[in-house]
DNA sequence: AAAACACCCAACCGCGAACTC
DNA sequence: GGAGTTCGCGGTTGGGTGTTT
């Protein structure tokens, strides 16, 4: 799992750290623990390490520093990562600041290994669905009522929160049996949002209000992405998967 | 049993910001 | 204020390990 240790032409080591090197680094940093920030450039020679300062810093920050939490991320941690990523983007150090004991590298790795992968998977499914829809429309006149614009995930996440649906529990889905609506919404997970909202019962007036759509008649004008005109009375019959995909 | 593949994460690299002279 | 140096961050890689075929 770790790159094998090697020595370059200048005698500097790279790759996996040995226990002896870890001990030297720990001892050196403990010796100078009164200094707020170690001088990483000088540290290797003081510690007797044939490593560059950058490598020492990385080893300390990501692996040796006391208080680091190891092991799997909890569901709560994952949800918070998704929420913070939605707000901050790829600011891994800023996100990591909310997780005592977790490093930016941990969170970055977790994101790429778990969250981003799932997101990419769902986007692939969506693209396939769109391709199918596109090819269908070439051979027939079927309309789906769906707007293909990119949704506003933060708005959807906010809606889920305001409707109190974050802890709704496991949701049956062919694509993911461990579905979390808040996570999916924050993750721009369109298909999941769509399916989820189609199968929930909502207070339509409350949803209009939360989306700043005003009253029901004002809400009609917000639904111009639907393929068919939406009558005030029909509003109660539309499914929110379509609506939320459209916003 | 073993080859192929996928996953995960420690470590590396490049770049921009911050700092020093 | 500008040049050189150091630090920290984010993107990426590489390879050990687990899983599937």
């Amino acid at each position: 799992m770790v790159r094998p240790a090697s020595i370059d032409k200048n005698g500097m080591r790279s790759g996996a750290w040995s226990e002896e090197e870890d001990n030297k680094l720990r001892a050196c940093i403990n010796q100078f623990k009164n200094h707020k920030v170690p001088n990483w450039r000088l540290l290797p020679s003081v510690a007797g390490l044939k490593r560059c300062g950058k490598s020492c810093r990385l080893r300390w920050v990501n692996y040796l520093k006391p208080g680091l939490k190891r092991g799997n991320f909890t569901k709560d941690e994952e949800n918070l990562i998704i929420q913070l990523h939605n707000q901050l983007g790829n600011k891994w150090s800023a996100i990591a600041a909310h997780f005592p004991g977790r490093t930016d590298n941990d969170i970055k790795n977790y994101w790429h290994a778990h969250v981003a992968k799932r997101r990419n998977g769902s986007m692939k499914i969506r693209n396939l669905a769109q391709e199918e829809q596109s090819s269908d429309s070439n051979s027939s006149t079927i309309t789906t009522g769906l707007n293909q614009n990119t949704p506003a995930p933060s708005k959807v996440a906010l809606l889920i929160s305001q409707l109190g649906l974050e802890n709704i529990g496991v949701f049956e889905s062919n694509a993911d049996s461990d579905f979390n609506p808040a996570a999916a919404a924050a993750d721009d997970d369109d298909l999941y949002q769509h399916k989820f909202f189609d199968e929930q019962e909502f207070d339509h007036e409350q949803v209009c209000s939360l989306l700043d759509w005003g009253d029901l008649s004002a809400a009609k004008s917000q639904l111009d992405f639907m393929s068919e005109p939406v009558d005030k009375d029909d509003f109660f019959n539309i499914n929110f998967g379509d609506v939320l995909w459209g916003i």
Side-chain angles (χ1 to χ4, degrees), chain A residues 140-157:
Chain A
S140 70
T141 54
I142 296 170
T143 55
T144 64
L146 293 183
N147 181 311
Q148 302 302 328
N149 291 339
T150 304
S154 60
K155 203 167 184 178
V156 179

Side-chain angles (χ1 to χ4, degrees), chain A residues 147 149-153 155-156 159 193 211 213 222-223 225 240-247:
Chain A
N147 181 311
N149 291 339
T150 304
K155 203 167 184 178
V156 179
L159 184 63
Q193 288 170 23
L211 287 170
W213 282 5
Q222 303 287 344
L223 298 171
F225 57 81
F240 271 94
D242 287 357
V243 172
L244 289 161
W245 201 327
I247 65 174

Side-chain angles (χ1 to χ4, degrees), chain A residues 10-29:
Chain A
N10 299 317
M12 297 296 278
R13 287 173 62 89
S14 65
W17 281 66
S18 67
E19 202 176 329
E20 185 189 354
E21 287 179 302
D22 283 347
N23 290 336
K24 282 182 177 177
L25 181 56
R26 260 196 220 98
C28 184
I29 288 178

Side-chain angles (χ1 to χ4, degrees), chain A residues 62-65 67-73 101-103 106:
Chain A
N62 287 333
Y63 203 83
L64 298 176
K65 198 172 164 184
L68 291 181
K69 201 193 281 186
R70 316 217 57 90
N72 296 337
F73 282 74
R102 300 285 193 190
T103 69
D106 284 340

Side-chain angles (χ1 to χ4, degrees), chain A residues 172-217:
Chain A
E172 287 301 325
S173 157
N174 291 337
D176 185 352
S177 60
D178 196 23
F179 174 73
N180 176 309
D187 194 24
D188 188 13
D189 215 341
D190 309 3
L191 281 184
Y192 292 134
Q193 288 170 23
H194 195 269
K195 185 165 171 54
F196 172 70
F197 282 103
D198 281 357
E199 299 189 9
Q200 299 299 315
E201 288 184 8
F202 293 103
D203 176 338
H204 284 58
E205 279 186 271
Q206 185 192 8
V207 172
C208 283
S209 160
L210 291 172
L211 287 170
D212 292 329
W213 282 5
D215 61 18
L216 291 183
S217 36

Side-chain angles (χ1 to χ4, degrees), chain A residues 109-147:
Chain A
N109 282 335
Y110 186 79
W111 177 266
H112 287 126
H114 297 85
V115 186
K117 190 176 60 186
R118 198 176 57 201
R119 174 186 175 147
N120 290 341
S122 73
M123 291 306 284
K124 278 180 193 164
I125 293 168
R126 180 185 174 182
N127 290 340
L128 279 173
Q130 287 182 355
E131 278 173 25
E132 279 178 17
Q133 188 181 322
S134 164
S135 63
D136 284 353
S137 67
N138 291 336
S139 57
S140 70
T141 54
I142 296 170
T143 55
T144 64
L146 293 183
N147 181 311

